[in-house]
Amino acid sequence: MEETQRSRSHTVTTTASSFAENFSTTSSSFSYDRDFLRTLPGLLIVAEIVLGLLVWTLIAGTEYFRVPAFGWVMFVAVFYWVLTVFFLIIYLTMTYTRIPQVPWTTVGLWFNGSAFALYLSAAIVDASSVSPERDSHNFNSWAASSFFAFLVTICYAGNTYFSFIAWRSRTIQ
């Protein structure tokens, strides 16, 4: 009986110590890709974050709830802003190299393609909802958000193109 308890505790200790060793080696090999922000896709992601932040803050600073269409614009802008920040962190920390089970080129293509399509629809809704007669003191913010929404759409279109090139070169091999 005593021997089975020893073997169990030894197994648990070994497992715990090997977990600690793996965790410490994983933590110490934390890397940061400084050159990513110098690439065109990296610059486009930074532009998407900055311009997307402008889109939703310009709308959020107004009484947007009076125009139901701005709810869709806010949803798309905030949703893709958060996800784009998440992807920037993944690319900067090179997390994609630690999780090879995920097809990152396909994920990037689907993310950028869906962001392009939904941001295009949100930009069109934003632009069509802006009118000076509706609420004159919110007009400038809504017009500016519409302009920046189209700029973000262009950035996502560019990243969709680069994601498609990466995905295609990956599938050809």
Side-chain angles (χ1 to χ4, degrees), residues 38-115:
R38 294 183 183 143
T39 64
L40 197 53
L43 292 173
L44 285 172
I45 287 177
V46 170
E48 291 161 1
I49 291 171
V50 171
L51 297 172
L53 181 66
L54 284 171
V55 169
W56 67 265
T57 55
L58 283 167
I59 294 175
T62 66
E63 297 170 350
Y64 69 91
F65 50 86
R66 293 181 186 212
V67 182
F70 287 125
W72 170 248
V73 178
M74 282 292 289
F75 169 74
V76 170
V78 173
F79 180 74
Y80 279 107
W81 185 81
V82 169
L83 287 179
T84 304
V85 169
F86 176 71
F87 272 103
L88 178 65
I89 292 169
I90 285 177
Y91 290 135
L92 285 178
T93 60
M94 297 177 67
T95 303
Y96 59 91
T97 61
R98 291 190 191 95
I99 311 172
Q101 299 84 0
V102 176
W104 289 105
T105 53
T106 306
V107 170
L109 178 62
W110 278 101
F111 170 72
N112 288 311
S114 68

Side-chain angles (χ1 to χ4, degrees), residues 8-44:
R8 261 193 240 149
S9 66
H10 177 68
T11 306
V12 170
T13 305
T14 305
T15 306
S17 65
S18 63
F19 173 76
E21 288 171 13
N22 287 339
F23 183 74
S24 66
T25 57
T26 304
S27 298
S28 65
S29 66
F30 184 73
S31 58
Y32 171 70
D33 187 7
R34 292 181 180 101
D35 294 329
F36 176 72
L37 293 178
R38 294 183 183 143
T39 64
L40 197 53
L43 292 173
L44 285 172

Side-chain angles (χ1 to χ4, degrees), residues 158-169:
N159 257 341
T160 302
Y161 173 74
F162 290 122
S163 296
F164 178 73
I165 290 173
W167 174 80
R168 187 158 184 195
S169 68

